[in-house]
């Protein structure tokens, strides 16, 4: 994860997001889960999704990159941000929704399994997960960062171990159907 510990890389990433358009993802989320309650965002990065999430949820942001946390606290002073690594989450406090947008692809498959087990413990009863991934197959390492690509069937199998998978849907971020969103609910 050293890439996102470098303030220059973080500044470049933030600058590259000026054209970000999360409308397709917002539409899917709005018709999939109850839009209320407490929400924890993992890997909030530049904070592009905060205006949308904050309209509906009691928002808490997190990241495991100090430069991103500095940026988030400066640009969104009304919100609470904590240092969290998605692979070592504390049980408390608990949330109604855990959300991430293009974060968990930086974990390898075993780390994702570990993170999902921990997220299960961090959710209120019948709580929701909303996580996005890049669509594809296999993995690559680029600038020391792990990029894991997924097919719908793989994500279904990984999430249904601990969750009821409600929807796995493709959508476009840079290109048509380049992304997948998983919406899942904690099993009782
Ligand atoms: C591609 S950026 C996405 C940022 C933001 N969610 C967005 O949509 O622009 C990946 C983010 O995941 C964070 N990240 C990477 N590995 C992580 C981990 N193990 N736990 C928590 N955050 C992580 C990075 O610091 C960075 O903020």
């Amino acid at each position: 994860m050293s890439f996102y510990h470098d303030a220059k890389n973080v500044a470049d990433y933030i600058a590259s997001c000026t054209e970000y358009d999360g409308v397709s993802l917002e539409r899917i989320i709005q018709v999939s889960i109850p839009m209320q309650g407490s929400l924890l965002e993992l890997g909030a990065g530049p904070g592009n999704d905060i205006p949308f999430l904050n309209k509906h949820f009691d928002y808490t942001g997190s990241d495991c990159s100090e430069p991103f946390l500095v940026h988030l606290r400066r640009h969104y002073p009304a919100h609470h941000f904590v240092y969290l690594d998605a692979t070592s989450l504390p049980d408390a406090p608990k949330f109604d929704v855990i959300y991430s947008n293009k974060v968990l692809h930086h974990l390898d498959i075993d780390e994702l399994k570990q993170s999902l087990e921990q997220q299960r413990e961090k959710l209120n009863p019948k709580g929701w997960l909303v996580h996005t991934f890049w669509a594809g197959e296999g993995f690559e390492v680029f600038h020391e960062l792990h990029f894991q690509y997924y097919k719908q069937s793989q994500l279904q199998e990984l999430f249904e171990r601990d969750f009821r998978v409600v929807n796995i849907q493709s959508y476009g971020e840079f290109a048509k159907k380049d992304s997948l969103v998983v919406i899942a609910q904690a099993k009782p």
Side-chain angles (χ1 to χ4, degrees), residues 1 4 13 17 20 41-46 48-49 63-65 68 84-87 101-103 105-107:
M1 237 293 294
Y4 289 123
Y13 183 88
C17 288
Y20 172 74
E41 180 173 18
L42 300 175
N48 294 325
D49 294 327
D63 210 293
C64 67
S65 150
F68 269 131
L84 279 184
D85 185 319
T87 60
N101 190 1
K102 302 294 170 42
V103 174
H105 65 289
H106 289 314
L107 310 185

Side-chain angles (χ1 to χ4, degrees), residues 13-30 46-52 55 99 101-102 132 134 171-179:
Y13 183 88
I14 293 167
S16 76
C17 288
T18 49
E19 302 293 310
Y20 172 74
D21 173 6
V23 171
S24 314
L25 179 59
E26 287 179 23
R27 286 201 187 113
I28 297 170
I29 295 169
Q30 278 175 315
N48 294 325
D49 294 327
I50 294 175
F52 159 66
K55 267 193 278 176
Y99 171 91
N101 190 1
K102 302 294 170 42
T132 73
W134 293 114
Y171 68 98
E173 185 168 325
F174 295 116
K176 207 174 163 192
K177 297 190 175 182
D178 63 359
S179 301

Side-chain angles (χ1 to χ4, degrees), residues 79-164:
H79 293 293
H80 182 51
F81 295 98
V82 290
Y83 178 96
L84 279 184
D85 185 319
T87 60
S88 54
L89 298 171
D91 286 357
K94 293 189 189 288
F95 293 87
D96 298 315
V97 182
I98 300 178
Y99 171 91
S100 76
N101 190 1
K102 302 294 170 42
V103 174
L104 300 181
H105 65 289
H106 289 314
L107 310 185
D108 66 30
I109 292 178
D110 284 339
E111 288 171 332
L112 177 61
K113 286 179 187 166
Q114 183 184 325
S115 179
L116 291 176
E117 281 167 18
Q118 294 175 11
Q119 289 180 46
R120 174 76 185 78
E121 300 307 313
K122 214 170 166 50
L123 277 179
N124 285 325
K126 295 189 176 175
W128 293 88
L129 295 187
V130 178
H131 293 307
T132 73
F133 297 87
W134 293 114
E137 284 183 55
F139 75 93
E140 60 187 342
V141 178
F142 188 62
H143 290 311
E144 299 175 25
L145 272 181
H146 184 90
F147 287 77
Q148 188 77 46
Y149 301 96
Y150 288 100
K151 294 189 282 188
Q152 290 198 12
S153 55
Q154 258 180 307
L155 289 171
Q156 173 85 33
E157 199 180 319
L158 284 163
F159 276 75
E160 73 186 5
R161 292 154 43 104
D162 294 301
F163 297 90
R164 184 175 70 89

